[in-house]
PDB file of all heavy atoms in Angstrom:
ATOM      1  N   LEU A   1     -16.101   8.374  -9.040  1.00  0.00           N
ATOM      2  CA  LEU A   1     -17.455   8.090  -8.579  1.00  0.00           C
ATOM      3  C   LEU A   1     -17.714   6.592  -8.543  1.00  0.00           C
ATOM      4  O   LEU A   1     -18.327   6.067  -7.616  1.00  0.00           O
ATOM      5  CB  LEU A   1     -18.481   8.774  -9.488  1.00  0.00           C
ATOM      6  CG  LEU A   1     -18.672  10.277  -9.252  1.00  0.00           C
ATOM      7  CD1 LEU A   1     -19.533  10.882 -10.364  1.00  0.00           C
ATOM      8  CD2 LEU A   1     -19.299  10.535  -7.893  1.00  0.00           C
ATOM      9  N   ARG A   2     -17.221   5.881  -9.562  1.00  0.00           N
ATOM     10  CA  ARG A   2     -17.372   4.416  -9.556  1.00  0.00           C
ATOM     11  C   ARG A   2     -16.651   3.817  -8.357  1.00  0.00           C
ATOM     12  O   ARG A   2     -17.149   2.925  -7.689  1.00  0.00           O
ATOM     13  CB  ARG A   2     -16.823   3.821 -10.860  1.00  0.00           C
ATOM     14  CG  ARG A   2     -17.674   4.097 -12.080  1.00  0.00           C
ATOM     15  CD  ARG A   2     -17.248   3.195 -13.240  1.00  0.00           C
ATOM     16  NE  ARG A   2     -17.717   3.722 -14.493  1.00  0.00           N
ATOM     17  CZ  ARG A   2     -16.946   4.358 -15.391  1.00  0.00           C
ATOM     18  NH1 ARG A   2     -15.660   4.540 -15.118  1.00  0.00           N
ATOM     19  NH2 ARG A   2     -17.456   4.803 -16.521  1.00  0.00           N
ATOM     20  N   GLN A   3     -15.442   4.333  -8.109  1.00  0.00           N
ATOM     21  CA  GLN A   3     -14.673   3.817  -6.985  1.00  0.00           C
ATOM     22  C   GLN A   3     -15.367   4.075  -5.660  1.00  0.00           C
ATOM     23  O   GLN A   3     -15.382   3.222  -4.780  1.00  0.00           O
ATOM     24  CB  GLN A   3     -13.277   4.445  -6.966  1.00  0.00           C
ATOM     25  CG  GLN A   3     -12.376   3.987  -8.113  1.00  0.00           C
ATOM     26  CD  GLN A   3     -11.053   4.712  -8.116  1.00  0.00           C
ATOM     27  OE1 GLN A   3     -10.964   5.826  -7.610  1.00  0.00           O
ATOM     28  NE2 GLN A   3     -10.033   4.108  -8.690  1.00  0.00           N
ATOM     29  N   SER A   4     -15.976   5.253  -5.515  1.00  0.00           N
ATOM     30  CA  SER A   4     -16.617   5.589  -4.245  1.00  0.00           C
ATOM     31  C   SER A   4     -17.830   4.727  -3.976  1.00  0.00           C
ATOM     32  O   SER A   4     -18.247   4.574  -2.828  1.00  0.00           O
ATOM     33  CB  SER A   4     -17.023   7.068  -4.230  1.00  0.00           C
ATOM     34  OG  SER A   4     -18.037   7.312  -5.184  1.00  0.00           O
ATOM     35  N   ARG A   5     -18.414   4.141  -5.029  1.00  0.00           N
ATOM     36  CA  ARG A   5     -19.582   3.288  -4.838  1.00  0.00           C
ATOM     37  C   ARG A   5     -19.183   1.870  -4.485  1.00  0.00           C
ATOM     38  O   ARG A   5     -20.011   1.084  -4.039  1.00  0.00           O
ATOM     39  CB  ARG A   5     -20.434   3.254  -6.113  1.00  0.00           C
ATOM     40  CG  ARG A   5     -21.097   4.592  -6.412  1.00  0.00           C
ATOM     41  CD  ARG A   5     -22.148   4.434  -7.500  1.00  0.00           C
ATOM     42  NE  ARG A   5     -22.702   5.723  -7.874  1.00  0.00           N
ATOM     43  CZ  ARG A   5     -22.432   6.351  -9.002  1.00  0.00           C
ATOM     44  NH1 ARG A   5     -21.627   5.801  -9.885  1.00  0.00           N
ATOM     45  NH2 ARG A   5     -22.972   7.520  -9.269  1.00  0.00           N
ATOM     46  N   ARG A   6     -17.933   1.527  -4.713  1.00  0.00           N
ATOM     47  CA  ARG A   6     -17.484   0.191  -4.350  1.00  0.00           C
ATOM     48  C   ARG A   6     -17.363   0.080  -2.853  1.00  0.00           C
ATOM     49  O   ARG A   6     -17.259   1.063  -2.140  1.00  0.00           O
ATOM     50  CB  ARG A   6     -16.123  -0.126  -4.993  1.00  0.00           C
ATOM     51  CG  ARG A   6     -16.181  -0.160  -6.512  1.00  0.00           C
ATOM     52  CD  ARG A   6     -14.787  -0.338  -7.057  1.00  0.00           C
ATOM     53  NE  ARG A   6     -14.753  -0.148  -8.492  1.00  0.00           N
ATOM     54  CZ  ARG A   6     -13.649   0.019  -9.188  1.00  0.00           C
ATOM     55  NH1 ARG A   6     -12.481   0.010  -8.591  1.00  0.00           N
ATOM     56  NH2 ARG A   6     -13.701   0.193 -10.500  1.00  0.00           N
ATOM     57  N   GLN A   7     -17.317  -1.167  -2.378  1.00  0.00           N
ATOM     58  CA  GLN A   7     -17.180  -1.364  -0.934  1.00  0.00           C
ATOM     59  C   GLN A   7     -15.843  -0.850  -0.448  1.00  0.00           C
ATOM     60  O   GLN A   7     -15.700  -0.352   0.643  1.00  0.00           O
ATOM     61  CB  GLN A   7     -17.329  -2.849  -0.606  1.00  0.00           C
ATOM     62  CG  GLN A   7     -17.398  -3.135   0.868  1.00  0.00           C
ATOM     63  CD  GLN A   7     -17.739  -4.560   1.132  1.00  0.00           C
ATOM     64  OE1 GLN A   7     -17.744  -5.389   0.236  1.00  0.00           O
ATOM     65  NE2 GLN A   7     -18.047  -4.860   2.384  1.00  0.00           N
ATOM     66  N   ARG A   8     -14.858  -0.948  -1.297  1.00  0.00           N
ATOM     67  CA  ARG A   8     -13.533  -0.484  -0.902  1.00  0.00           C
ATOM     68  C   ARG A   8     -12.754  -0.088  -2.139  1.00  0.00           C
ATOM     69  O   ARG A   8     -12.721  -0.800  -3.136  1.00  0.00           O
ATOM     70  CB  ARG A   8     -12.769  -1.571  -0.160  1.00  0.00           C
ATOM     71  CG  ARG A   8     -11.329  -1.174   0.174  1.00  0.00           C
ATOM     72  CD  ARG A   8     -10.612  -2.307   0.848  1.00  0.00           C
ATOM     73  NE  ARG A   8      -9.264  -1.952   1.176  1.00  0.00           N
ATOM     74  CZ  ARG A   8      -8.232  -2.094   0.323  1.00  0.00           C
ATOM     75  NH1 ARG A   8      -8.413  -2.590  -0.864  1.00  0.00           N
ATOM     76  NH2 ARG A   8      -7.008  -1.766   0.695  1.00  0.00           N
ATOM     77  N   VAL A   9     -12.153   1.089  -2.114  1.00  0.00           N
ATOM     78  CA  VAL A   9     -11.289   1.512  -3.209  1.00  0.00           C
ATOM     79  C   VAL A   9      -9.931   0.845  -3.044  1.00  0.00           C
ATOM     80  O   VAL A   9      -9.371   0.816  -1.957  1.00  0.00           O
ATOM     81  CB  VAL A   9     -11.119   3.047  -3.193  1.00  0.00           C
ATOM     82  CG1 VAL A   9     -10.152   3.481  -4.273  1.00  0.00           C
ATOM     83  CG2 VAL A   9     -12.459   3.732  -3.375  1.00  0.00           C
ATOM     84  N   ARG A  10      -9.403   0.315  -4.119  1.00  0.00           N
ATOM     85  CA  ARG A  10      -8.109  -0.357  -4.043  1.00  0.00           C
ATOM     86  C   ARG A  10      -6.992   0.686  -4.132  1.00  0.00           C
ATOM     87  O   ARG A  10      -6.652   1.140  -5.209  1.00  0.00           O
ATOM     88  CB  ARG A  10      -7.955  -1.375  -5.170  1.00  0.00           C
ATOM     89  CG  ARG A  10      -8.805  -2.615  -4.960  1.00  0.00           C
ATOM     90  CD  ARG A  10      -8.621  -3.543  -6.145  1.00  0.00           C
ATOM     91  NE  ARG A  10      -9.442  -4.735  -5.999  1.00  0.00           N
ATOM     92  CZ  ARG A  10      -9.019  -5.863  -5.447  1.00  0.00           C
ATOM     93  NH1 ARG A  10      -7.821  -5.950  -4.978  1.00  0.00           N
ATOM     94  NH2 ARG A  10      -9.822  -6.903  -5.354  1.00  0.00           N
ATOM     95  N   ALA A  11      -6.497   1.094  -2.971  1.00  0.00           N
ATOM     96  CA  ALA A  11      -5.364   2.009  -2.945  1.00  0.00           C
ATOM     97  C   ALA A  11      -4.103   1.227  -3.254  1.00  0.00           C
ATOM     98  O   ALA A  11      -3.951   0.091  -2.844  1.00  0.00           O
ATOM     99  CB  ALA A  11      -5.261   2.653  -1.573  1.00  0.00           C
ATOM    100  N   GLU A  12      -3.210   1.845  -3.982  1.00  0.00           N
ATOM    101  CA  GLU A  12      -2.036   1.115  -4.440  1.00  0.00           C
ATOM    102  C   GLU A  12      -0.753   1.829  -4.026  1.00  0.00           C
ATOM    103  O   GLU A  12      -0.248   2.680  -4.755  1.00  0.00           O
ATOM    104  CB  GLU A  12      -2.083   0.939  -5.964  1.00  0.00           C
ATOM    105  CG  GLU A  12      -3.266   0.107  -6.424  1.00  0.00           C
ATOM    106  CD  GLU A  12      -3.236  -0.185  -7.905  1.00  0.00           C
ATOM    107  OE1 GLU A  12      -2.280   0.264  -8.583  1.00  0.00           O
ATOM    108  OE2 GLU A  12      -4.158  -0.835  -8.400  1.00  0.00           O
ATOM    109  N   PRO A  13      -0.219   1.529  -2.875  1.00  0.00           N
ATOM    110  CA  PRO A  13       1.061   2.101  -2.490  1.00  0.00           C
ATOM    111  C   PRO A  13       2.174   1.613  -3.405  1.00  0.00           C
ATOM    112  O   PRO A  13       2.190   0.452  -3.817  1.00  0.00           O
ATOM    113  CB  PRO A  13       1.267   1.598  -1.051  1.00  0.00           C
ATOM    114  CG  PRO A  13       0.433   0.362  -0.960  1.00  0.00           C
ATOM    115  CD  PRO A  13      -0.737   0.593  -1.866  1.00  0.00           C
ATOM    116  N   LYS A  14       3.090   2.501  -3.738  1.00  0.00           N
ATOM    117  CA  LYS A  14       4.217   2.137  -4.599  1.00  0.00           C
ATOM    118  C   LYS A  14       5.554   2.283  -3.893  1.00  0.00           C
ATOM    119  O   LYS A  14       6.518   1.633  -4.270  1.00  0.00           O
ATOM    120  CB  LYS A  14       4.221   3.014  -5.861  1.00  0.00           C
ATOM    121  CG  LYS A  14       3.069   2.775  -6.804  1.00  0.00           C
ATOM    122  CD  LYS A  14       3.261   3.524  -8.099  1.00  0.00           C
ATOM    123  CE  LYS A  14       4.448   2.992  -8.890  1.00  0.00           C
ATOM    124  NZ  LYS A  14       4.586   3.633 -10.220  1.00  0.00           N
ATOM    125  N   VAL A  15       5.617   3.157  -2.890  1.00  0.00           N
ATOM    126  CA  VAL A  15       6.886   3.426  -2.208  1.00  0.00           C
ATOM    127  C   VAL A  15       6.828   2.818  -0.810  1.00  0.00           C
ATOM    128  O   VAL A  15       5.969   3.180  -0.006  1.00  0.00           O
ATOM    129  CB  VAL A  15       7.171   4.933  -2.127  1.00  0.00           C
ATOM    130  CG1 VAL A  15       8.504   5.179  -1.427  1.00  0.00           C
ATOM    131  CG2 VAL A  15       7.175   5.543  -3.527  1.00  0.00           C
ATOM    132  N   PHE A  16       7.741   1.888  -0.545  1.00  0.00           N
ATOM    133  CA  PHE A  16       7.792   1.183   0.732  1.00  0.00           C
ATOM    134  C   PHE A  16       9.099   1.525   1.434  1.00  0.00           C
ATOM    135  O   PHE A  16      10.172   1.436   0.836  1.00  0.00           O
ATOM    136  CB  PHE A  16       7.706  -0.327   0.523  1.00  0.00           C
ATOM    137  CG  PHE A  16       6.362  -0.808   0.047  1.00  0.00           C
ATOM    138  CD1 PHE A  16       5.989  -0.674  -1.277  1.00  0.00           C
ATOM    139  CD2 PHE A  16       5.465  -1.384   0.936  1.00  0.00           C
ATOM    140  CE1 PHE A  16       4.750  -1.098  -1.726  1.00  0.00           C
ATOM    141  CE2 PHE A  16       4.227  -1.822   0.501  1.00  0.00           C
ATOM    142  CZ  PHE A  16       3.869  -1.679  -0.835  1.00  0.00           C
ATOM    143  N   ALA A  17       8.980   1.915   2.692  1.00  0.00           N
ATOM    144  CA  ALA A  17      10.174   2.125   3.517  1.00  0.00           C
ATOM    145  C   ALA A  17      10.427   0.861   4.319  1.00  0.00           C
ATOM    146  O   ALA A  17       9.608   0.466   5.136  1.00  0.00           O
ATOM    147  CB  ALA A  17       9.978   3.320   4.438  1.00  0.00           C
ATOM    148  N   LEU A  18      11.561   0.199   4.052  1.00  0.00           N
ATOM    149  CA  LEU A  18      12.005  -0.935   4.860  1.00  0.00           C
ATOM    150  C   LEU A  18      13.006  -0.403   5.863  1.00  0.00           C
ATOM    151  O   LEU A  18      14.091   0.063   5.476  1.00  0.00           O
ATOM    152  CB  LEU A  18      12.654  -2.010   3.983  1.00  0.00           C
ATOM    153  CG  LEU A  18      11.757  -3.153   3.501  1.00  0.00           C
ATOM    154  CD1 LEU A  18      10.662  -2.616   2.607  1.00  0.00           C
ATOM    155  CD2 LEU A  18      12.582  -4.195   2.770  1.00  0.00           C
ATOM    156  N   THR A  19      12.624  -0.409   7.130  1.00  0.00           N
ATOM    157  CA  THR A  19      13.514   0.128   8.142  1.00  0.00           C
ATOM    158  C   THR A  19      13.814  -0.942   9.170  1.00  0.00           C
ATOM    159  O   THR A  19      12.917  -1.661   9.613  1.00  0.00           O
ATOM    160  CB  THR A  19      12.902   1.384   8.806  1.00  0.00           C
ATOM    161  OG1 THR A  19      13.817   1.900   9.764  1.00  0.00           O
ATOM    162  CG2 THR A  19      11.583   1.073   9.484  1.00  0.00           C
ATOM    163  N   ALA A  20      15.080  -1.086   9.507  1.00  0.00           N
ATOM    164  CA  ALA A  20      15.520  -2.149  10.412  1.00  0.00           C
ATOM    165  C   ALA A  20      15.575  -1.640  11.842  1.00  0.00           C
ATOM    166  O   ALA A  20      16.086  -0.553  12.109  1.00  0.00           O
ATOM    167  CB  ALA A  20      16.888  -2.661   9.991  1.00  0.00           C
ATOM    168  N   ALA A  21      15.029  -2.447  12.755  1.00  0.00           N
ATOM    169  CA  ALA A  21      15.080  -2.096  14.170  1.00  0.00           C
ATOM    170  C   ALA A  21      16.426  -2.432  14.786  1.00  0.00           C
ATOM    171  O   ALA A  21      16.700  -2.057  15.923  1.00  0.00           O
ATOM    172  CB  ALA A  21      13.973  -2.820  14.928  1.00  0.00           C
ATOM    173  N   SER A  22      17.276  -3.158  14.042  1.00  0.00           N
ATOM    174  CA  SER A  22      18.590  -3.550  14.545  1.00  0.00           C
ATOM    175  C   SER A  22      19.626  -3.395  13.432  1.00  0.00           C
ATOM    176  O   SER A  22      19.353  -3.749  12.275  1.00  0.00           O
ATOM    177  CB  SER A  22      18.562  -5.008  15.012  1.00  0.00           C
ATOM    178  OG  SER A  22      19.875  -5.500  15.216  1.00  0.00           O
ATOM    179  N   PRO A  23      20.820  -2.876  13.736  1.00  0.00           N
ATOM    180  CA  PRO A  23      21.863  -2.736  12.707  1.00  0.00           C
ATOM    181  C   PRO A  23      22.398  -4.085  12.235  1.00  0.00           C
ATOM    182  O   PRO A  23      23.107  -4.141  11.209  1.00  0.00           O
ATOM    183  CB  PRO A  23      22.949  -1.912  13.419  1.00  0.00           C
ATOM    184  CG  PRO A  23      22.728  -2.157  14.876  1.00  0.00           C
ATOM    185  CD  PRO A  23      21.253  -2.335  15.041  1.00  0.00           C
ATOM    186  N   THR A  24      22.057  -5.170  12.924  1.00  0.00           N
ATOM    187  CA  THR A  24      22.527  -6.497  12.500  1.00  0.00           C
ATOM    188  C   THR A  24      21.697  -7.065  11.353  1.00  0.00           C
ATOM    189  O   THR A  24      22.065  -8.098  10.780  1.00  0.00           O
ATOM    190  CB  THR A  24      22.480  -7.483  13.685  1.00  0.00           C
ATOM    191  OG1 THR A  24      21.125  -7.642  14.127  1.00  0.00           O
ATOM    192  CG2 THR A  24      23.327  -6.983  14.839  1.00  0.00           C
ATOM    193  N   ILE A  25      20.600  -6.438  11.015  1.00  0.00           N
ATOM    194  CA  ILE A  25      19.746  -6.917   9.920  1.00  0.00           C
ATOM    195  C   ILE A  25      20.284  -6.370   8.606  1.00  0.00           C
ATOM    196  O   ILE A  25      20.445  -5.153   8.436  1.00  0.00           O
ATOM    197  CB  ILE A  25      18.288  -6.475  10.123  1.00  0.00           C
ATOM    198  CG1 ILE A  25      17.716  -7.111  11.395  1.00  0.00           C
ATOM    199  CG2 ILE A  25      17.422  -6.840   8.920  1.00  0.00           C
ATOM    200  CD1 ILE A  25      16.344  -6.600  11.792  1.00  0.00           C
ATOM    201  N   ASP A  26      20.574  -7.260   7.672  1.00  0.00           N
ATOM    202  CA  ASP A  26      21.098  -6.865   6.359  1.00  0.00           C
ATOM    203  C   ASP A  26      19.921  -6.439   5.484  1.00  0.00           C
ATOM    204  O   ASP A  26      19.334  -7.244   4.755  1.00  0.00           O
ATOM    205  CB  ASP A  26      21.849  -8.038   5.723  1.00  0.00           C
ATOM    206  CG  ASP A  26      22.608  -7.632   4.460  1.00  0.00           C
ATOM    207  OD1 ASP A  26      22.278  -6.583   3.887  1.00  0.00           O
ATOM    208  OD2 ASP A  26      23.516  -8.391   4.052  1.00  0.00           O
ATOM    209  N   LEU A  27      19.600  -5.154   5.542  1.00  0.00           N
ATOM    210  CA  LEU A  27      18.425  -4.657   4.829  1.00  0.00           C
ATOM    211  C   LEU A  27      18.588  -4.714   3.323  1.00  0.00           C
ATOM    212  O   LEU A  27      17.630  -5.009   2.600  1.00  0.00           O
ATOM    213  CB  LEU A  27      18.141  -3.209   5.248  1.00  0.00           C
ATOM    214  CG  LEU A  27      17.154  -2.987   6.385  1.00  0.00           C
ATOM    215  CD1 LEU A  27      16.892  -1.495   6.548  1.00  0.00           C
ATOM    216  CD2 LEU A  27      15.843  -3.703   6.112  1.00  0.00           C
TER     217      LEU A  27
END
C-alpha cells in the first residue's frame, strides 16, 4: 500500500539476458 501511493514503485529486475545480434561479439 505504501508503494502504491508513491509516484513510482521501484521494481528491481535481477535476471538480465545479454543476447548478441552478431556471433562476432564476445558475450
Side-chain angles (χ1 to χ4, degrees):
L1 282 170
R2 288 194 199 104
Q3 290 176 334
S4 66
R5 292 192 185 107
R6 296 175 190 166
Q7 188 172 10
R8 175 183 180 273
V9 176
R10 287 178 181 268
E12 297 186 0
K14 292 188 66 175
V15 181
F16 291 78
L18 265 63
T19 182
S22 167
T24 63
I25 296 172
D26 189 341
L27 267 186

